[in-house]
Amino acid sequence: MNIHVINKSTVLRDAQIQRWLPAFDLYADHVREWWPRAVSLVWCPRDQEPELAWKLVFADKSDQAGDLAYHDFTADGRPISYVFAADVEKTGDSMTVTATHEIAEMIADPWISENFQITDTRFFAKEICDPCEANEFAYSIKVGRSAAIKVSDFVLPKWFIPGSTGQFDRNQKIDKPLKILPGGYMSVFTPGRGWRQMGARKGRRVAVLGNDPKNKGQFGRLTKYARNRPVELGWGPDD
């Protein structure tokens, strides 16, 4: 499956994004080592945007207050990610870390529908970059003669398994499962409480979310993403 990379922003040049693509492709390989899904990133000129395709779109300003980027899917079920370049530039965040965050989570959970059952009553969203999303935990990728770029760290499957041992994130910054690094968070579902945001711990207590550039702390996962669309199952106990 191809992810079509399209530039609709006014603050990034096409050539700049095209220079990033080899490193983005290598980064996708890193993600696929742990979260297998056959995808490739391909450049797509703005005037040739396909209607039905997976897409990574660089735009200017977010349509969601505080969101520098997000991933979703279209009404016909095609995964799509947005990076709001003007907003990212204004905050001083890394454009390539922000973009690769969305690439990784598109690969791991294209339809924003998968979760890990952690206990009998707790489910963690399959948002693999959120626990370690801060720029300080990013790592560098260099391809050929191009300049190295920073890319987002991401957690591995063992991160979601309580009591597991080994490596928990690609950049080896996390030393135990379920640990959230400063600046990160995780969407957690508990029956009766719905989706809530869990931040990094201070001592034995879960900290209140501090700097939350994506503004996710005030939204439940279903409210924020595509799965909040109306659903009629059409069956019930009497059907």
Side-chain angles (χ1 to χ4, degrees):
M1 179 62 65
N2 290 328
I3 298 175
H4 292 73
V5 181
I6 304 167
N7 183 26
K8 296 183 179 182
S9 76
T10 61
V11 300
L12 293 174
R13 302 184 310 277
D14 287 358
Q16 186 175 7
I17 299 174
Q18 288 172 316
R19 285 195 296 269
W20 294 338
L21 285 185
F24 284 0
D25 252 331
L26 181 56
Y27 176 75
D29 287 342
H30 293 176
V31 176
R32 288 194 298 262
E33 289 178 19
W34 302 94
W35 304 102
R37 192 177 304 276
V39 300
S40 297
L41 292 140
V42 297
W43 174 254
C44 180
R46 180 175 178 173
D47 60 357
Q48 297 177 29
E49 178 181 355
E51 182 179 355
L52 304 179
W54 291 31
K55 301 173 188 177
L56 169 64
V57 179
F58 288 87
D60 274 342
K61 293 188 176 295
S62 178
D63 58 353
Q64 299 284 342
D67 276 10
L68 300 182
Y70 62 79
H71 58 118
D72 201 336
F73 56 85
T74 62
D76 61 1
R78 265 71 173 189
I80 187 168
S81 289
Y82 293 96
V83 177
F84 300 104
D87 293 337
V88 174
E89 186 177 71
K90 185 176 180 179
T91 64
D93 278 77
S94 167
M95 200 75 68
T96 56
V97 171
T98 302
T100 50
H101 178 130
E102 303 308 327
I103 290 169
E105 293 188 342
M106 262 183 105
I107 292 172
D109 186 9
W111 295 279
I112 324 169
S113 59
E114 300 181 39
N115 308 284
F116 280 84
Q117 184 169 354
I118 306 302
T119 70
D120 285 346
T121 59
R122 300 189 96 188
F123 297 81
F124 280 21
K126 196 177 180 182
E127 299 284 334
I128 65 172
C129 294
D130 289 354
C132 47
E133 75 159 12
N135 289 338
E136 64 185 288
F137 304 117
Y139 65 100
S140 295
I141 288 180
K142 179 175 173 57
V143 178
R145 296 183 178 180
S146 298
I149 68 166
K150 290 286 189 180
V151 298
S152 178
D153 193 13
F154 59 91
V155 297
L156 312 183
K158 283 186 176 182
W159 185 87
F160 291 94
I161 304 172
S164 63
T165 59
Q167 185 176 345
F168 302 106
D169 66 304
R170 178 59 172 76
N171 204 22
Q172 301 187 56
K173 299 296 183 181
I174 299 176
D175 58 7
K176 59 183 177 181
L178 312 183
K179 181 175 180 178
I180 299 172
L181 297 179
Y185 51 87
M186 174 49 59
S187 298
V188 181
F189 181 84
T190 306
R193 300 184 72 185
W195 288 101
R196 299 171 66 88
Q197 302 297 334
M198 184 173 76
R201 288 183 176 273
K202 290 184 178 180
R204 295 187 177 183
R205 298 181 65 83
V206 175
V208 175
L209 283 175
N211 179 32
D212 183 18
K214 293 187 178 179
N215 211 26
K216 287 185 178 179
Q218 59 183 284
F219 296 97
R221 194 176 187 225
L222 293 179
T223 303
K224 195 63 174 170
Y225 291 120
R227 286 168 300 164
N228 198 34
R229 295 173 176 141
V231 175
E232 293 184 10
L233 297 178
W235 52 265
D238 298 326
D239 292 343

